[in-house]
Amino acid sequence: MKIQGEHYHTIWVDADDPRIIQVIDQRKLPFVFETFAMRSADDAFFAVKEMVVRGAPLIGVTAAYGMYLALRQLQNESWEEDLIGVADYLKSSRPTAVNLAFAVDEMLAFMLANKDDAELIAKVLAKAGELKQQEIEFGDKIGEYGLELIEEIYEKKGSTVNILTHCNAGWLACIDWGTATAPIYKAHLKGIPVHVWVDETRPRNQGARLTAYELGEQGVPHTVIPDNAGGHLMQHDMVDMVIVGSDRTTVTGDVANKIGTYLKALAAHDNNVPFYVALPSSTFDWDMNDGVKDIPIEQRAGDEVAEIEGWHDEQIKTVRLIPEKSSVANYGFDVTPARLVSGLISERGICKADKQSILKLYPEKINR
């Protein structure tokens, strides 16, 4: 997708040095466009942990390139054992997004299976590139299937389709296209009038800062709203559908996404507003059945809640919001039970949020 008229992915191999992986530094957007250079697995860990990169698909691909960078630096006889340690280290950077473990495990298995190949480093770099391209293709296909839902609403309504989304599940989070935003971009490109209600998504404001930014760069009409405005909009028929992304979805259809998603699902259910979740197959947890009980929920530093960043005097500045003696709880995600989900939009189609329907799309997972 585009930033200031130039086409970008959110991660790429440096054009001049294959030992460097570049990512867009999402901590600086929308105020400053900068890149962050990763030269080691430690850099990849930092990028994921400190949210230089955000979004389950991008987190996974970043860790995949982190494994490649680690391999380049491991020259001792125990490199295989060390690489297993790096894999565990990278997977610990953020516990909720299952794409992270998926990508790291894919890379580790490939490395160990080809450990005697003289061209191992080049092939590992190509493998990371394949995982990146796969996520782009997933987003493209998710967009095509989700477009059908928007078209149906437009045909019935005959006027602008109002879509509410939470957090950032756009191209910045998914390398290109996005998950939740992919159908929106497809509809906009097709000439269907769409308008997006963008939750600010406290405490890191990924909606207000990232989703609004990328929608604006693509020329998609949108309005930023406080997180707690969605229910009011739904009560007054100002939302035609909700589309969100996911960081982990169980095989039974329970959805972990940015904190606050569950409340949007409850409001949508109460007001008969369809609530869809867009996700690639790499975001499914094929071994987990009860999302509320079993999905690990990341608890992040309290300063994300206690403070807020903004743009002032041509600088990004931080100010305190709460009394110094007040404690903070900062849960990064919540889980929306499958019963509140109207449907799942994946690269293989749209299905109900239940085990039978999901496995019908992915029959190869039935005997896991």
Side-chain angles (χ1 to χ4, degrees):
M1 306 300 280
K2 292 183 178 180
I3 292 180
Q4 298 174 0
E6 296 291 330
H7 187 272
Y8 282 92
H9 290 156
T10 43
I11 186 168
W12 64 94
V13 180
D14 189 275
D16 299 318
D17 190 342
R19 297 170 298 177
I20 299 174
I21 305 299
Q22 298 283 359
V23 295
I24 295 174
D25 191 339
Q26 296 185 35
R27 299 171 301 173
K28 307 294 181 65
L29 294 175
F31 311 117
V32 179
F33 177 80
E34 289 184 1
T35 60
F36 177 87
M38 301 191 305
R39 295 177 171 84
S40 66
D42 285 333
D43 288 342
F45 180 95
F46 177 88
V48 172
K49 181 71 173 178
E50 299 303 320
M51 297 178 74
V52 175
V53 296
R54 313 175 195 197
L58 176 58
I59 286 172
V61 173
T62 299
Y65 278 111
M67 291 291 287
Y68 156 73
L69 293 171
L71 180 65
R72 292 196 67 106
Q73 296 180 338
L74 292 174
Q75 302 294 332
N76 54 37
E77 294 182 357
S78 63
W79 71 268
E80 294 173 50
E81 181 179 343
D82 291 343
L83 201 61
I84 293 171
V86 171
D88 290 338
Y89 168 63
L90 287 171
K91 286 191 286 187
S92 73
S93 57
R94 296 195 72 185
T96 301
V98 74
N99 303 60
L100 180 61
F102 166 79
V104 170
D105 289 343
E106 282 275 305
M107 293 296 291
L108 180 61
F110 180 84
M111 291 172 170
L112 296 180
N114 296 276
K115 62 183 180 181
D116 297 323
D117 195 314
E119 301 297 323
L120 180 60
I121 290 177
K123 290 185 177 180
V124 166
L125 177 59
K127 176 66 175 178
E130 289 173 10
L131 292 178
K132 169 186 169 179
Q133 186 59 36
Q134 176 177 268
E135 292 294 353
I136 294 172
E137 292 172 1
F138 284 169
D140 189 11
K141 292 176 181 177
I142 287 169
E144 292 295 333
Y145 285 115
L147 170 62
E148 296 173 8
L149 298 170
I150 298 175
E151 286 179 319
E152 288 176 10
I153 294 173
Y154 179 60
E155 288 171 4
K156 292 178 182 178
K157 187 180 180 184
S159 59
T160 299
V161 179
N162 289 294
I163 304 167
L164 186 144
T165 191
H166 188 71
C167 197
N168 179 254
W171 76 265
L172 287 167
C174 305
I175 305 157
D176 211 345
W177 286 111
T179 54
T181 61
I184 296 169
Y185 291 131
K186 295 281 187 178
H188 178 69
L189 289 170
K190 196 170 181 178
I192 298 172
V194 292
H195 167 263
V196 185
W197 296 109
V198 180
D199 278 355
E200 60 184 348
T201 321
R202 284 279 295 145
R204 291 295 292 255
N205 296 303
Q206 287 108 305
R209 291 182 61 165
L210 301 179
T211 303
Y213 176 71
E214 64 172 71
L215 289 172
E217 289 292 309
Q218 309 309 315
V220 179
H222 62 281
T223 304
V224 177
I225 57 172
D227 286 354
N228 48 14
H232 168 77
L233 296 174
M234 293 181 207
Q235 283 180 324
H236 292 273
D237 299 321
M238 299 170 73
V239 179
D240 296 305
M241 66 187 304
V242 179
I243 311 178
V244 300
S246 173
D247 287 81
R248 184 190 300 236
T249 293
T250 67
V251 71
T252 54
D254 296 333
V255 175
N257 193 48
K258 181 66 177 181
I259 192 78
T261 302
Y262 173 45
L263 297 180
K264 294 302 181 301
L266 287 170
H269 185 266
D270 193 48
N271 290 280
N272 297 312
V273 174
F275 181 94
Y276 288 96
V277 178
L279 73 162
S281 54
S282 55
T283 301
F284 281 105
D285 189 321
W286 303 105
D287 301 314
M288 190 174 288
N289 288 283
D290 191 328
V292 175
K293 289 184 179 179
D294 296 333
I295 293 178
I297 300 300
E298 178 182 6
Q299 295 190 50
R300 297 185 58 80
D303 58 4
E304 292 182 349
V305 175
E307 301 171 348
I308 193 168
E309 286 185 340
W311 186 247
H312 182 69
D313 287 340
E314 301 300 312
Q315 297 180 53
I316 298 175
K317 294 191 175 182
T318 301
V319 296
R320 188 171 183 85
L321 289 172
I322 70 172
E324 290 187 11
K325 296 182 180 179
S326 295
S327 60
V328 169
N330 185 13
Y331 297 93
F333 303 87
D334 58 24
V335 176
T336 299
R339 63 182 176 82
L340 299 175
V341 178
S342 303
L344 303 173
I345 311 168
S346 86
E347 79 279 1
R348 293 195 185 177
I350 302 172
C351 69
K352 295 179 180 178
D354 62 51
K355 190 169 187 176
Q356 181 179 357
S357 301
I358 293 169
L359 291 178
K360 188 174 181 180
L361 281 186
Y362 297 93
E364 71 274 18
K365 303 296 183 180
I366 290 176
N367 295 320
R368 281 179 60 92

